[in-house]
Amino acid sequence: MSFGHLPYDVAHLLGGGVLLLSFVLLYQRRIGAVINAFAMQGTLLALAAAWQGYVQGAPGLYLTAVLALAAKGVLIPLALHAIVRRLDLHRTVETALGIGPSLVAGVGLVGLAILVVLPATEGARALAREDLALALSVVLLGMLMMISRRNAISQVIGLLSLENGLILAAIGVAGMPLVVELSTAALVLMVAVVAAVFAFQIRERFDTLDTHHLEEHRGERR
Amino acid sequence: MAAIWSVLAQLLHIALILAAAPLLTGVVRWLKARMMGRRGPHPLQPVRDLTKLLRKRPVLAENASAISRAAPYVAVGAAMAAAALVPSFARGMVFAPLADLILVAGLLAVGRVAMALAGMDVGTQFGGLGAAREMSFAAIAEPALVIAALTLAILAGTTNLDAIAGAFREGGLGLRVSLGLALVALLAVAVAENARIPVDNPATHLELTMVHEAMILEASGRHLALWDYAAMLRLTLWLALLAAVFLPFGQAPSGSAPHVWVVGLLAWVVKMGGLALALAGFESAIAKMRVFRVPEFLGAALLLGLLGAVYLFVSTGLS
Amino acid sequence: MLTVLVLLVGALAALGGAAMPLARSAAGARLVHAGCVAAGVVLAAGGLAGLLGGPAALELPFGPPWGPARLALDALSSWFLLPLGIAVACASLFALGGVHGAVPARELVPWPLFVAGMALTLLAADGFTLLLGFEAMSLASWVLVAHDHAQAENRRAARIYLVFAGFGGLALILACGLMAGGAGDVAFAAFRDAPPEGWRAAAVLALVLAGAGSKAGLAPLHVWLPLAHPAAPSHVSAVMSGAMTKVALYVLARFVFDLMGPAQPFWLGAPLIALGAASAVIGALRANLEEDTKTLLACSTIENVGLIAIGLGLALAFRGADLPALAALAAGAALLHVLNHAVFKTLLFLAAGEVLHGALSRRIDRLGGLIHRMPWTAWAALAGVAAAAALPPLSGFASEWLLLQALLSAWRVGDLAFQMGAAAATALAALATALAAAAMVRFWGLVFLGRPRTPRAAGAEESGGAVRIALVVPAVLTVLLGLVPGLMLDLAEPALRLMAGAAAPRADLLAVGAAEGGARYWPILVAALVAAAIGLVVWLVRRRAPAGVARGPAWDCGFMAPPHHLPFGDPATQPSAAGFGQPLRRMLGESLLAAREGVAMPPPGDTRPAVLESGFHDPALAALEGPLPRWREALATQAEKLRDLSIRQCLGLTFGAVVLMLALLAWLEGR
């Protein structure tokens, strides 16, 4: 299976779309737009999973697709929008690293991911290798988003998009047990819930979601 | 016989592009007005404006040098030369060996420099401001264009536009992430080069935000007509470029006789109309961005183009 | 021919000696400069003869204690004699026209010696002679940089230049020592017989990059260049930028392409490409921020040297990857740009010198509107500006087109990491080219267009005679070289064969080509096409539109006319040098050059005006001025900070560790 074959092309395109949306997440300055981009990423991920389910003939992947669409494409974005509205947050994303530098760093990370994955997966199918490179890129971009944004909501979105990368990796590899996938998803979801609860608590205490303010309350200095 | 057809196709192409330029601008304006719920001017209004301006004697500032008088001709000449190179309805026109993508970028740069110098000639605030911004934005748009050219050159083996169009017409390239990323980069460059929303607003004369219009504030009469016509040619050129590379269907193959051109001509009109519709829709849907967001926008396009090239390396390395 | 050139070097040295008494009268000074014009013409002719004829070698009957001095003229040195000869002839002609009385001996004596040093470097065929010529060139140019030592900034420039020249010479001596190995034979033939391998090759490359690269102005050792080049007299600045940097590049090319042998790995080109890309971007960006015409041009030189270095590095990589045709393409781009840049940069520096002479300032903010008072200078400079901005069909575009074609083929080397780096270098080279266009528009537009910013600029006067010829000749050459790049590539063929081991890419009178079946560029046809298009437009407009123009006051968005005490309008209402650079300063300068803008607002009640200040620091210069104490300080502070990191920063630390380990993994796998 290589270029010019429809299954490969579509899978490639969907994976690329997920990665592109990771960059969109980094590029956006408005929290609403960030959430929308995240929703789109979730939807694309669901499409990718469904396509893989169709190509590999694995019905389990359809379940993954439905779950991803319901949770990441609809429910979590809606919840995040609601949180933003409820808490009446700043609508802009506060960045610790500027938009331009974080995009440059992002491209550098993608290059790094490719350089790591390709030699390590010598002998595997071309699609799996590329998918793995894409997935690792998405994971790294999610981590980059977590550390380069001040706002707690953006950090949570970074975490969730990181998890998208993990799922992308899982669906590309034929024969990954569904249990592993589901448990990963559930784990990250739990973390996200905990983070959300935390965000509420922080907000009630300090009137802000900027994690920068937490530093004043660590009791060591100042 | 084929040589005569290629000359004829070239002449027809030049006539077509020259005639289509004001019409296309008029159609985009009319479509935009319709989408915004206005009636809008007649699509032929730009033609009428140009003929009206041509009849008027220009007024030049007392301290204007020969640059103000020569620059509009240079700008239109360079835009015409570039437009003559971009394939439209048929491939293998007589100028096809000249039609290099980087040369087209160079010819567009000639027009840009001519315009920037004309803006600085009289020594007014807005002219200099517009020139500074135009040259700075181009500094980021140009690498994005070259990186998109890199992707195309790897896929087609050359930067010759005619050959690229041919390679994409033959197909066999499949759907590629890198091609999509190159398209995004090229679209962003096209938007910036033509001073369209969200980079610049072609319909405004608000001094503090404009880029393109600021440089030709002092122009009048036939000079203004030439500047406007150069801008229209540039828009047509870019849309034709995008159509030739990314929508290659329907092009008449090289050396074909005139009766084959009919399909190509129809396909070209449909493609250009579709692109005009898309442009109008895009422009009515979004707002202009702040001036200093533009470099970020173009920088993102550059990085996406780079990403596309990287993925292309990976896939060529794998297969 | 070689004998003639060797005699010429001797004659130039003698002329330098004779210049001491000759400097007392104007006629004597003119004689010296006329001698240098003739020397320049002979040098260029020698280059042509060397390229058309075969190589030649010569052993002088005298030399260092251990043997004769060896000289040789092969294709590579012949090619570099061309830019040297053209730059020296034009600059000496310019100086000849500028003599109006006795010239200080410290300005006149080193000039022929400087030219002799550069010629000797190009002709040398052993390490000793090469270093002798290189050091003569450095010291003579140092005296010329320090000629106006009354000003503190010139003294600082000369001091920094001397440090760099000494450092560069030392690095080259070490490189020669490493090449000679245990035998201690410094003849080039001996170097070729025992090419270095492995770590020795890498060490030689690093030393040559430090020695010749610092002379050529490669980042991060470029900081002396924008200080020293403007401090010298204008004709010397022209040759320093136009020819001396090329001589340094010749030394670099001689070592990596010839002396180190063809059996080198492809990654040896990578440092050249990386440094070249960094120099190109830094130089072009600085050219957009500098407010002094000659400093601006010196920064543009850094940019062009960077582009040439990219070409050389690509040629080295292609040769190592066994792609000789592409290697010839990249080397051809580099060599062509060497010549083109030498011509147009000489022209631009001479134009800046004429502006300094006519309007008495190098500061852009004191010039303006000079196209009316100095039309010859303005139009000649426009040709150079258009070439430097890489506009077709001028010379700069031809060589940069070839360079971009070589960069677009860099993926054929096959190594994934190299491909990614080359893609980034492509983007950076294109960025530098476009930035250079912005810098050149800023330079020409602010100096020659608009309204005069000072009364002195309004009353500027142009010289005629030799100065005018010295400006027109390189302008015409710039146009011609742009039209016949194919012819020049054919001329450079023996040099390309020497560098790349393959024939040059297919070229003829009309076109230059990327590769077989690849894209081609037809400069004469393109020029004809654009001319025809312009002619058509003029004809059509003539038919429809009324002739002539009406004159009136500038509309200027309805601003009112200036008061009578400001006859040229308020100069402050024009864009200033800093104002024109503002978009790029904000877009790129803040991150790359630590540029800043700030408003100093007086307290309420104070009647002083608020002041907007802007500026930048080249990080390389800051790093060189006392780095060690600051590093120690910074390290201590950083270690201190580690104690109380925020959550986000702790996460970042972990993230950084992950990324580092992945990079390590990639590196290990790559081995």
Side-chain angles (χ1 to χ4, degrees):
Chain A
M1 198 159 59
S2 70
F3 276 111
H5 296 269
L6 193 65
Y8 184 96
D9 280 351
V10 173
H12 190 61
L13 209 60
L14 288 172
V18 172
L19 179 63
L20 187 62
L21 280 165
S22 278
F23 276 98
V24 173
L25 284 177
L26 278 176
Y27 175 75
Q28 291 295 353
R29 276 177 189 250
R30 287 170 183 280
I31 197 92
V34 171
I35 297 173
N36 288 341
F38 173 71
M40 272 177 71
Q41 194 182 34
T43 314
L44 261 189
L45 183 72
L47 278 178
W51 181 255
Q52 286 288 348
Y54 168 69
V55 171
Q56 296 176 8
L61 283 175
Y62 289 121
L63 183 61
T64 314
V66 171
L67 280 179
L69 182 66
K72 303 222 164 108
V74 183
L75 290 180
I76 294 181
L78 281 181
L80 286 173
H81 274 303
I83 290 177
V84 172
R85 258 200 313 277
R86 277 258 308 275
L87 297 185
D88 193 22
L89 292 173
H90 271 300
R91 296 298 166 87
T92 54
V93 174
E94 295 107 356
T95 55
L97 183 68
I99 302 272
S102 44
L103 283 177
V104 174
V107 170
L109 286 173
V110 172
L112 184 64
I114 289 173
L115 283 181
V116 168
V117 168
L118 287 193
T121 53
E122 205 88 56
R125 290 178 312 129
L127 178 58
R129 292 172 74 186
E130 269 206 66
D131 248 4
L132 220 54
L134 280 169
L136 183 58
S137 313
V138 174
V139 168
L140 288 178
L141 288 179
M143 286 178 99
L144 181 67
M145 178 149 180
M146 283 178 76
I147 64 159
S148 66
R149 300 286 177 271
R150 290 186 189 282
N151 187 301
I153 296 271
S154 313
Q155 289 177 357
V156 168
I157 291 181
L159 178 69
L160 291 170
S161 118
L162 184 156
E163 198 259 341
N164 281 350
L166 292 180
I167 295 194
L168 192 63
I171 59 172
V173 183
M176 170 78 87
L178 193 61
V179 184
V180 177
E181 238 172 79
L182 289 183
S183 55
T184 322
L187 189 71
V188 174
L189 213 60
M190 285 304 293
V191 174
V193 169
V194 170
V197 173
F198 235 79
F200 271 101
Q201 293 294 325
I202 296 169
R203 164 77 189 184
E204 272 177 24
R205 287 280 166 89
F206 305 120
D207 267 358
T208 174
L209 271 188
D210 189 340
T211 51
H212 183 66
H213 290 267
L214 286 180
E215 286 156 27
E216 292 167 18
H217 299 273
R218 296 211 306 176
E220 285 178 15
R221 205 166 57 160
R222 278 167 289 203
Chain B
M1 207 58 192
I4 299 172
W5 293 142
S6 72
V7 173
L8 273 184
Q10 184 70 57
L11 289 177
L12 182 60
H13 163 78
I14 293 176
L16 195 65
I17 290 264
L18 293 186
L23 200 63
L24 189 73
T25 307
V27 167
V28 170
R29 280 187 201 155
W30 180 77
L31 281 171
K32 246 175 97 172
R34 282 292 156 130
M35 287 179 187
M36 292 169 176
R38 291 184 281 119
R39 275 184 58 199
H42 193 271
L44 282 177
Q45 188 60 39
V47 183
R48 296 173 191 159
D49 288 345
L50 287 180
T51 42
K52 182 192 74 181
L53 281 172
L54 262 184
R55 282 202 304 272
K56 291 184 181 274
R57 191 189 303 276
V59 182
L60 278 187
E62 278 138 1
N63 64 335
S65 69
I67 290 289
S68 283
R69 303 182 67 167
Y73 294 96
V74 174
V76 174
M80 266 171 72
L85 299 181
V86 176
S88 60
F89 64 92
R91 292 196 293 109
M93 296 184 299
V94 72
F95 288 163
L98 264 72
D100 183 70
L101 183 53
I102 296 176
L103 176 65
V104 170
L107 288 172
L108 290 174
V110 171
R112 189 187 310 126
V113 167
M115 183 175 239
L117 289 181
M120 299 171 78
D121 189 31
V122 181
T124 55
Q125 309 89 313
F126 292 122
L129 186 133
R133 287 182 177 169
E134 173 86 356
M135 295 310 291
S136 309
F137 293 161
I140 311 221
E142 196 119 313
L145 174 60
V146 169
I147 285 296
L150 173 64
T151 303
L152 301 181
I154 293 174
L155 286 175
T158 170
T159 50
N160 186 296
L161 276 171
D162 200 57
I164 293 176
F168 285 26
R169 173 95 169 80
E170 306 312 324
L173 297 167
L175 298 162
R176 292 207 179 209
V177 172
S178 27
L179 213 51
L181 292 172
L183 173 64
V184 172
L186 265 186
L187 282 178
V189 176
V191 163
E193 286 275 334
N194 288 301
R196 310 299 298 195
I197 292 176
V199 171
D200 192 1
N201 190 344
T204 185
H205 277 86
L206 179 65
E207 286 95 340
L208 290 178
T209 57
M210 66 186 165
V211 179
H212 179 266
E213 296 293 321
M215 288 179 282
I216 54 173
L217 278 175
E218 293 289 329
S220 54
R222 58 171 185 266
H223 295 161
L224 185 58
L226 288 174
W227 285 126
D228 283 349
Y229 190 59
M232 294 169 187
L233 264 180
R234 228 170 20 235
L235 179 66
T236 315
L237 181 159
W238 270 102
L239 292 191
L241 182 79
L242 290 170
V245 174
F246 292 98
L247 306 169
F249 57 83
Q251 273 191 336
S254 54
S256 55
H259 61 89
V260 190
W261 297 348
V262 177
V263 181
L265 278 170
L266 281 178
W268 192 69
V269 169
V270 169
K271 284 187 271 188
M272 294 298 271
L275 284 173
L277 188 67
L279 177 66
F282 182 69
E283 285 206 312
S284 6
I286 57 169
K288 184 185 170 309
M289 60 173 73
R290 283 176 51 212
V291 166
F292 283 99
R293 272 288 263 173
V294 174
E296 256 168 37
F297 171 73
L298 288 173
L302 166 63
L303 290 173
L304 289 183
L306 208 53
L307 200 64
V310 166
Y311 266 92
L312 198 55
F313 296 147
V314 174
S315 49
T316 45
L318 289 182
S319 57
Chain C
M1 197 66 218
L2 180 58
T3 325
V4 176
L5 290 173
V6 174
L7 288 178
L8 180 73
V9 171
L12 279 171
L15 190 63
M20 188 71 93
L22 286 176
R24 293 200 196 107
S25 68
R30 288 202 186 99
L31 185 68
V32 172
H33 284 307
C36 289
V37 175
V41 173
V42 174
L43 284 173
L48 268 182
L51 284 168
L52 295 175
L58 187 69
E59 285 196 4
L60 291 187
F62 51 86
W66 56 85
R70 296 181 187 82
L71 298 169
L73 181 70
D74 64 359
L76 190 59
S77 40
S78 301
W79 179 265
F80 278 84
L81 278 174
L82 285 180
L84 175 64
I86 294 172
V88 166
C90 294
S92 301
L93 197 62
F94 180 83
L96 178 69
V99 175
H100 298 294
V103 177
R106 64 170 182 278
E107 216 180 299
L108 196 62
V109 174
W111 173 238
L113 297 177
F114 178 41
V115 178
M118 287 189 285
L120 187 63
T121 313
L122 294 183
L123 295 176
D126 67 48
F128 179 79
T129 319
L130 181 87
L131 285 168
L132 187 70
F134 202 77
E135 289 306 309
M137 169 179 98
S138 296
L139 284 177
S141 56
W142 173 72
V143 177
L144 288 165
V145 166
H147 83 287
D148 190 9
H149 51 75
Q151 287 184 33
E153 55 179 307
N154 287 355
R155 285 202 300 277
R156 173 162 174 262
R159 201 166 53 238
I160 293 182
Y161 180 39
L162 192 63
V163 170
F164 270 90
F167 168 75
L170 188 68
L172 278 186
I173 291 173
L174 288 177
C176 280
L178 211 54
M179 292 285 290
D185 190 353
V186 291
F188 282 177
F191 288 175
R192 284 188 199 107
D193 287 341
E197 282 166 13
W199 70 267
R200 265 184 60 209
V204 169
L205 179 70
L207 284 170
V208 172
L209 269 181
S214 74
K215 198 63 158 186
L218 279 182
L221 300 175
H222 63 279
V223 288
W224 63 273
L225 204 147
L227 297 171
H229 283 201
S234 297
H235 65 285
V236 181
S237 319
V239 172
M240 283 177 84
S241 262
M244 190 178 82
T245 52
K246 306 303 179 311
V247 173
L249 285 171
Y250 161 79
V251 174
L252 182 65
R254 173 64 72 190
F255 268 90
V256 296
F257 284 100
D258 182 18
L259 302 182
M260 284 167 69
Q264 298 292 351
F266 74 86
W267 52 260
L268 220 52
L272 265 173
I273 298 175
L275 290 183
S279 315
V281 171
I282 292 279
L285 184 58
R286 273 192 70 170
N288 275 293
L289 302 181
E290 296 291 351
E291 298 175 14
D292 176 307
T293 50
K294 281 167 78 176
T295 313
L296 185 160
L297 292 175
C299 291
S300 148
T301 297
I302 300 177
E303 181 245 347
N304 285 289
V305 164
L307 292 181
I308 297 168
I310 295 178
L312 291 178
L314 274 177
L316 204 57
F318 283 138
R319 197 185 62 175
D322 208 15
L323 296 163
L326 286 176
L329 170 69
L335 288 191
L336 205 57
H337 203 61
V338 162
L339 182 63
N340 293 341
H341 175 247
V343 175
F344 72 67
K345 193 46 67 67
T346 304
L347 164 64
L348 289 176
F349 260 110
L350 294 183
E354 178 58 12
V355 165
L356 171 61
H357 178 77
L360 282 188
S361 184
R362 280 172 15 199
R363 286 179 51 80
I364 291 174
D365 283 339
R366 305 187 63 77
L367 302 168
L370 292 180
I371 192 172
H372 301 288
R373 303 288 306 181
M374 311 178 78
W376 284 86
T377 315
W379 290 107
L382 184 60
V385 157
L391 299 185
L394 284 126
S395 65
F397 181 78
S399 38
E400 285 174 27
W401 184 86
L402 279 173
L403 181 66
L404 274 180
Q405 290 294 342
L407 276 167
L408 294 183
S409 311
W411 63 280
R412 291 186 199 273
V413 166
D415 183 79
L416 192 57
F418 184 85
Q419 288 174 334
M420 289 184 190
T426 312
L428 290 178
L431 176 68
T433 314
L435 281 174
M440 287 299 137
V441 164
R442 174 172 176 267
F443 165 69
W444 200 80
L446 291 180
V447 171
F448 292 105
L449 297 181
R451 290 169 284 140
R453 291 181 176 79
T454 54
R456 192 66 191 80
E461 284 191 17
E462 194 168 37
S463 354
V467 171
R468 187 171 293 172
I469 299 173
L471 289 172
V472 170
V473 167
V476 171
L477 273 179
T478 299
V479 176
L480 283 183
L481 287 175
L483 289 181
V484 292
L487 202 63
M488 299 315 291
L489 271 189
D490 282 346
L491 192 63
E493 222 253 79
L496 295 180
R497 207 173 274 282
L498 193 150
M499 288 168 79
R506 211 152 51 99
D508 53 47
L509 187 61
L510 286 181
V512 285
E516 286 303 316
R520 310 191 82 194
Y521 167 52
W522 316 64
I524 295 181
L525 295 188
V526 170
L529 180 63
V530 174
I534 293 177
L536 180 70
V537 176
V538 171
W539 181 70
L540 284 178
V541 169
R542 278 271 165 81
R543 271 171 50 107
R544 299 296 306 269
V549 292
R551 292 277 177 173
W555 177 55
D556 199 10
C557 288
F559 271 53
M560 59 181 165
H564 286 295
H565 61 274
L566 288 170
F568 309 108
D570 186 353
T573 58
Q574 291 186 79
S576 66
F580 201 88
Q582 183 236 28
L584 281 171
R585 186 167 57 238
R586 284 202 191 162
M587 280 157 53
L588 295 168
E590 281 173 6
S591 44
L592 292 180
L593 288 175
R596 63 198 150 59
E597 283 175 19
V599 182
M601 194 70 84
D606 197 335
T607 52
R608 276 178 303 150
V611 179
L612 174 74
E613 283 181 35
S614 69
F616 69 93
H617 292 293
D618 195 325
L621 185 61
L624 284 169
E625 285 177 338
L628 281 177
R630 243 195 349 271
W631 283 351
R632 200 197 55 223
E633 197 78 19
L635 202 65
T637 331
Q638 289 302 325
E640 202 66 22
K641 267 191 198 156
L642 221 53
R643 276 198 316 147
D644 39 30
L645 287 179
S646 69
I647 307 166
R648 206 173 48 74
Q649 285 161 327
C650 281
L651 259 175
L653 220 56
T654 328
F655 177 60
V658 170
V659 170
L660 266 184
M661 284 202 295
L662 285 176
L664 186 68
L665 194 64
W667 183 65
L668 287 176
E669 281 168 352
R671 281 169 67 88

